[in-house]
Amino acid sequence: MENYTFDKQATQTIPICIDEHIYHANINLNTYRAILSVIDQFQPLFESVHNEMNAQEVNQILLKVVQASEAFLDTVFEQGVYQQLFGYRMPNVKEHCDLLLFIFHQLKEAFT
């Protein structure tokens, strides 16, 4: 009879270096759901961007990007990581998007 043996070396996290600090991304269903959720939240935000937006509209998009990013980072890594990374910085949509894309790429690389 054949036997399946679990890999004792299997990891449940992937190390990701951000701003010269190593964070450990959880590899689980919650991370997968967080990826889908942030994509679902960002798509309509970016589709709503136009050249004639007023300051209030821009601030609303920025707030939603910040909220979605915080939920994503605190799920993928651990509670409080968003504040460690962005708590001292002025909110910036480009930085948030760049970081999330970097994390997506690192997760993809870990599985290929």
Side-chain angles (χ1 to χ4, degrees):
M1 173 194 268
E2 289 189 50
N3 180 44
Y4 175 83
T5 303
F6 287 97
D7 181 0
K8 305 248 187 296
Q9 301 299 319
T11 181
Q12 298 299 316
T13 64
I14 294 173
I16 298 178
C17 189
I18 302 170
D19 203 23
E20 299 188 26
H21 184 273
I22 296 178
Y23 296 90
H24 296 276
N26 297 307
I27 305 306
N28 57 32
L29 185 57
N30 289 337
T31 292
Y32 178 72
R33 288 178 179 156
I35 292 169
L36 295 179
S37 176
V38 80
I39 290 170
D40 286 346
Q41 292 176 62
F42 275 25
Q43 186 173 359
L45 291 177
F46 295 131
E47 289 173 356
S48 70
V49 172
H50 56 85
N51 288 335
E52 299 173 13
M53 295 180 73
N54 63 39
Q56 183 179 3
E57 291 171 317
V58 171
N59 286 336
Q60 288 175 344
I61 287 177
L62 178 58
L63 178 63
K64 290 177 182 178
V65 166
V66 166
Q67 290 170 336
S69 298
E70 183 172 11
F72 174 80
L73 292 169
D74 287 352
T75 298
V76 172
F77 298 107
E78 62 183 36
Q79 196 69 26
V81 167
Y82 177 86
Q83 284 302 315
Q84 290 174 16
L85 295 169
F86 289 104
Y88 64 96
R89 305 178 70 79
M90 291 294 294
N92 180 309
V93 170
K94 182 181 181 326
E95 284 186 340
H96 283 71
C97 293
D98 286 350
L99 178 59
L100 296 188
L101 288 172
F102 174 77
I103 293 167
F104 291 165
H105 179 74
Q106 295 298 305
L107 292 170
K108 178 182 171 250
E109 289 297 311
F111 289 105
T112 55

